[in-house]
Amino acid sequence: MTAQLIPLAAAQHSAPVTDWSGRIAWVVGLLVFVVFVYWLMRQGWKWRGTLQGDLPELPAAPTDAGEVRLSLSGRYHGSTTAGQWLDRIVARGLGTRSRAELTLTDQGLAVERPGATDFFVPAAALRGARLDKGIAGKVLPEGGLLVVTWEHGGKQIDSGFRSDRAGEHPAWVAALNRLTSTEHTTEHTETEGAR
């Protein structure tokens, strides 16, 4: 019986002691790395804004914008260079995602953004609208994003919006494209008349 107890007693030993200083060093090192990566991303954002510094100030909505054709509540997801859905524009506050209230009138498209810079796209600057699925870091189901193409400072811009009621998107695309074609027909007629 004594011979059986000796191996049993020899097999028992205490649990290893946790090396807290080693674990704390790993956690601190990981936190420093995360902060460094965040800082690099922030510097990249500022650098992109500096490169796009030639973009003129965004126009403000006129005091008398005319009769409201459509209005929409939803989110503004950002703007990119037209046709390049990953080339985000951050200058003039266009890179800030926010809630948005869109109002379409004969004068153009007013974008009100609580907590961010409001802007106005004159009807003459509108180039069209379409349904899409993604823009600069935001991907949605097919047709889940209303993309408005407009021109500002000689640059074509795509701005992405998502309504709280996605069923409104087709009506917006139709109205914006109708306004765009009407505006360009008027411009073409005035140009021809001047010759």
Side-chain angles (χ1 to χ4, degrees):
M1 176 124 178
T2 316
Q4 291 177 342
L5 290 177
I6 293 171
L8 187 60
Q12 292 180 347
H13 61 280
S14 62
V17 177
T18 303
D19 179 17
W20 285 106
S21 62
R23 287 191 182 196
I24 290 172
W26 273 104
V27 169
V28 169
L30 183 61
L31 287 175
V32 168
F33 177 73
V34 168
V35 168
F36 178 68
V37 169
Y38 176 77
W39 179 80
L40 284 176
M41 290 170 51
R42 184 98 173 126
Q43 292 303 109
W45 186 271
K46 287 180 181 178
W47 177 72
R48 182 175 281 272
T50 303
L51 289 178
Q52 298 167 350
D54 61 339
L55 193 69
E57 287 290 331
L58 299 172
T63 52
D64 181 24
E67 184 182 340
V68 175
R69 290 183 175 199
L70 287 172
S71 62
L72 173 150
S73 291
R75 292 202 62 79
Y76 168 77
H77 287 290
S79 293
T80 63
T81 302
Q84 299 177 20
W85 73 286
L86 291 176
D87 186 20
R88 182 187 294 263
I89 296 175
V90 300
R92 308 294 180 209
L94 290 176
T96 307
R97 290 186 176 152
S98 62
R99 291 284 305 159
E101 300 286 332
L102 273 65
T103 306
L104 182 65
T105 67
D106 291 334
Q107 298 290 319
L109 176 67
V111 182
E112 295 177 28
R113 301 187 302 154
T117 307
D118 298 342
F119 62 95
F120 180 75
V121 181
L126 288 168
R127 297 295 178 257
R130 68 181 186 281
L131 296 180
D132 213 326
K133 63 180 179 179
I135 193 165
K138 184 65 176 179
V139 179
L140 297 162
E142 189 67 47
L145 195 66
L146 170 65
V147 177
V148 178
T149 304
W150 52 292
E151 187 170 335
H152 182 62
K155 185 174 198 163
Q156 296 259 335
I157 299 171
D158 282 343
S159 293
F161 303 93
R162 179 165 174 83
S163 172
D164 291 336
R165 295 174 299 280
E168 297 177 333
H169 289 172
W172 272 83
V173 170
L176 283 162
N177 286 333
R178 196 167 39 251
L179 181 61
T180 302
S181 64
T182 302
E183 191 65 33
H184 290 294
T185 302
T186 305
E187 281 180 10
H188 182 69
T189 305
E190 288 173 357
T191 306
E192 290 296 318
R195 290 180 185 173

